[in-house]
Amino acid sequence: MSEAVLRVEGLTKRYGRFTALRDLSFSVAKGEVVGLLGQNGAGKSTTIKIICNLVRPTAGEVYLEGQPVTGQRSGEHRRKMGVIVEAPRFYPLLSGRANLELLARIYGAGDGRAAALLEQVGLSERQEERFGRYSMGMKQRLGLAAVLLNEPSLVVLDEPTTGLDPVAQLQIHDLILKLTREHQVSALMCSHILSEVETLCHRALVLHRGELLLEQSLREKDGIAEVAKVFKGIADELQKQGDLQ
Amino acid sequence: MIRELTRQEFRKLSAQRYPYLLLAMVLIAQIAHMLAAALAAPETTLDVLTGPQLWAKGAGTGLRFGVYGLLVVGAMGFSQEFAQGTVKTILVLPLRRWEWVAAKLVFLVLLALGLLLAVVMVGVLIVALTLGWGDVVREEVVLYGRGEVWLQVLAATALTAVFLLPVCAFAQLIGLYFSSSGAAVGSALLLGISLEAAGALGGFGKYIFMYHLHRPIGIVEKLGRGLPFRWDALLYWGLGACLLSFAIFCVWQVLRMERMDIAG
């Protein structure tokens, strides 16, 4: 796991006077699953958006398989990435299959690839239904199918189980584990759920107010307990500030 | 890539109901106007309509409604992507942002040409069914032969197509500034109407594309009435203004899209 698929160096993003990210650096090795944690507004989504070129950083650089990608207009590097930003967003009036085929054609993948992925994520029986009528779990599964269309070396998932019932959460976990273990795909995953991060991730990064507060291996004993301790500290600090006010 | 993205725009539009409703409204307005004009009893001999005049009236009405329809569809192009959040799905794909802008514009221009063709053909059909497409005759004197009339109809159609280009680009540009489809559509319509009104009041209308939109139709109308007409300088100014504003709107929206942070 030494070769870095994704490397982020000195990432800073300012919106006017507000600093959303401050000098953030980390990397994701081949086959590694890294969890990105933090409160709302900690900078997780901004980090993901910069990695995907949706947002330009004020400073810093993102490297994908050693190549700098920040500000690249060609978009070719995105062939190596599969991304869900915030939540799976598709055209509500098109069917699940039509949505997936639409993306497959942009990747240059055939319609057969879309059909195979729909089968893989368990949506083949509901593929003709409009996306707007899908349940949250079905939307997430379609999102995962979209992420896999181009056989990426890195997947970026933004809270993939938010709003799902426990069964759907377990199904999504199984899909992510299958993807990362069987296909040796690296993953960067935002989540608010510590148990999910413990199950799926090798390493956790905790962001707080745009800065990296903790980088913790989850393979170590009590790794997740360390992460929980940091969040407890943040909660106590906020409590104190609240009391003072 | 642009061809594929353009095809997808048609696919997305065909899944929605409102474009069919807009097209129906345009054609109903045109047909109603033409039938009312054709069936109205003339008070004097000067009020007697010829076929080309009737066509020009109908095409003018259809086109006026059609422009507002195009403003609606164009303004929704990007604003709907922002509202649905699909912009975050598309822009993480391996494509250049300008390609997406170009594909949406090509789609809108093709749609405008289709609309123009529908308006022209419906007009031709209604004239054929009511007044007929014979020579333009006044008091038993043939002013224009059938061949010349058809030539003018063709010229008017082609020129109107040029005038529709900046309308499309303008509408799409407005959509890039809103993340609500309703706000984008309302603003596009309001700006379109305001531009037209300001142009008429301020006397600079001849440089605004909305003013020139009906000019070719007007030419046909003049010819139909037997009035003298020269392809004067104003028409070339109009064409120049259209092409220049089209180019400006295109560059503007590409720059806007390229520099935009998709943060929200």
Side-chain angles (χ1 to χ4, degrees):
Chain A
M1 269 200 207
S2 56
E3 190 187 334
V5 171
L6 175 73
R7 203 169 83 240
V8 168
E9 281 184 6
L11 225 51
T12 298
K13 179 66 186 175
R14 288 190 201 96
Y15 294 102
R17 287 180 183 175
F18 174 70
T19 303
L21 277 183
R22 199 188 305 266
D23 198 24
L24 178 67
S25 298
F26 66 89
S27 64
V28 180
K30 191 175 181 195
E32 189 184 24
V33 183
V34 173
L36 200 55
L37 296 105
Q39 291 172 272
N40 292 329
K44 306 185 297 294
S45 289
T46 305
T47 306
I48 282 184
K49 283 172 188 163
I50 291 174
I51 290 169
C52 309
N53 266 5
L54 288 176
V55 168
R56 286 167 304 168
T58 309
E61 184 59 84
V62 175
Y63 298 89
L64 189 66
E65 293 183 342
Q67 300 295 315
V69 298
T70 310
Q72 267 204 18
R73 290 184 176 181
S74 74
E76 274 309 301
H77 64 280
R78 289 188 219 122
R79 287 192 187 280
K80 299 172 190 163
M81 292 168 72
V83 184
I84 300 179
V85 182
E86 287 166 0
R89 313 273 188 165
F90 296 98
Y91 297 102
L93 296 177
L94 296 183
S95 68
R97 182 179 57 79
N99 266 300
L100 209 56
E101 283 175 359
L102 192 141
L103 304 185
R105 285 181 196 143
I106 294 175
Y107 279 121
D111 291 350
R113 174 83 182 142
L117 284 168
L118 283 166
E119 177 81 39
Q120 204 175 324
V121 299
L123 280 178
S124 51
E125 281 177 21
R126 312 280 295 270
Q127 61 178 317
E128 296 303 333
E129 267 182 49
R130 284 181 174 182
F131 176 75
R133 291 188 185 154
Y134 275 15
S135 68
M136 200 59 200
M138 289 163 76
K139 286 178 180 174
Q140 290 287 7
R141 277 189 276 163
L142 188 68
L144 278 178
V147 158
L148 298 177
L149 270 171
N150 53 330
E151 299 180 42
S153 52
L154 173 76
V155 294
V156 181
L157 307 169
D158 199 351
E159 300 177 25
T161 57
T162 298
L164 299 188
D165 63 62
V167 175
Q169 279 187 21
L170 289 174
Q171 286 174 332
I172 296 291
H173 288 174
D174 283 347
L175 275 171
I176 295 171
L177 284 172
K178 201 172 163 187
L179 168 72
T180 52
R181 285 181 187 164
E182 288 180 14
H183 300 278
Q184 278 288 294
V185 172
S186 309
L188 177 66
M189 193 181 88
C190 280
S191 180
H192 286 299
I193 308 166
L194 290 185
S195 60
E196 178 176 271
V197 172
E198 189 179 22
T199 308
L200 299 176
C201 302
H202 300 112
R203 198 153 48 95
L205 306 172
V206 179
L207 292 182
H208 183 54
R209 292 177 181 158
E211 289 183 82
L212 186 61
L213 200 64
L214 176 76
E215 187 169 353
Q216 175 68 47
S217 168
L218 300 176
R219 290 182 167 174
E220 291 170 16
K221 198 185 167 196
D222 297 332
I224 200 72
E226 287 298 318
V227 175
K229 207 185 282 178
V230 167
F231 278 111
K232 178 79 170 70
I234 294 171
D236 289 345
E237 183 194 328
L238 291 173
Q239 176 84 41
K240 269 183 202 165
Q241 284 173 0
D243 288 347
L244 283 173
Q245 282 169 4
Chain B
M1 183 60 79
I2 292 175
R3 183 191 271 192
E4 180 54 43
L5 289 168
T6 305
R7 203 176 292 153
Q8 292 185 3
E9 289 302 318
F10 277 106
R11 205 169 173 188
K12 283 184 266 175
L13 190 79
S14 63
Q16 307 192 57
R17 280 187 199 152
Y18 83 91
Y20 302 106
L21 198 69
L22 283 176
L23 181 65
M25 282 164 66
V26 168
L27 296 182
I28 286 170
Q30 180 189 2
I31 292 168
H33 187 195
M34 288 183 80
L35 288 179
L39 299 175
E43 288 180 9
T44 66
T45 51
L46 282 175
D47 294 331
V48 177
L49 275 178
T50 64
Q53 276 177 272
L54 182 64
W55 180 84
K57 272 180 185 289
T61 304
L63 214 57
R64 196 162 195 85
F65 277 74
V67 164
Y68 291 123
L70 282 175
L71 287 175
V72 170
V73 178
M76 284 180 83
F78 278 112
S79 59
Q80 207 172 31
E81 303 276 359
F82 291 128
Q84 290 171 349
T86 40
V87 63
K88 290 170 193 159
T89 304
I90 299 297
L91 289 184
V92 297
L93 298 172
L95 54 87
R96 292 171 175 86
R97 289 186 179 195
W98 70 260
E99 286 177 325
W100 199 29
V101 172
K104 276 187 178 287
L105 194 59
V106 169
F107 152 77
L108 202 58
V109 168
L110 290 175
L111 201 70
L113 294 181
L115 179 78
L116 178 63
L117 200 66
V119 166
V120 166
M121 294 315 289
V122 165
V124 167
L125 188 71
I126 299 285
V127 170
L129 291 174
T130 53
L131 304 182
W133 282 101
D135 298 337
V136 177
V137 180
R138 288 274 182 213
E139 294 167 354
E140 297 181 3
V141 176
V142 176
L143 294 175
Y144 293 97
R146 186 192 294 220
E148 195 169 356
V149 165
W150 280 113
L151 203 66
Q152 295 302 332
V153 166
L154 265 175
T157 306
L159 283 170
T160 307
V162 178
F163 296 143
L164 289 177
L165 291 177
V167 176
C168 294
F170 170 77
Q172 186 161 298
L173 174 66
I174 298 297
L176 272 170
Y177 282 87
F178 293 91
S179 53
S180 149
S181 317
V185 168
S187 304
L189 290 175
L190 203 66
L191 275 168
I193 294 166
S194 305
L195 267 175
E196 197 182 8
L201 288 171
F204 56 88
K206 60 187 174 187
Y207 302 112
I208 296 173
F209 60 83
M210 287 289 283
Y211 177 82
H212 294 287
L213 208 62
H214 307 289
R215 191 156 175 79
I217 309 295
I219 294 167
V220 174
E221 197 155 348
K222 276 186 175 179
L223 289 167
R225 287 183 182 191
L227 297 170
F229 178 78
R230 286 184 298 116
W231 294 87
D232 55 21
L234 191 59
L235 185 73
Y236 298 115
W237 272 108
L239 279 174
C242 281
L243 293 172
L244 183 68
S245 54
F246 176 65
I248 290 170
F249 293 146
C250 286
V251 172
W252 189 342
Q253 57 188 294
V254 167
L255 290 177
R256 166 90 183 150
M257 185 49 123
E258 289 285 351
R259 291 174 181 176
M260 190 187 283
D261 273 351
I262 314 294

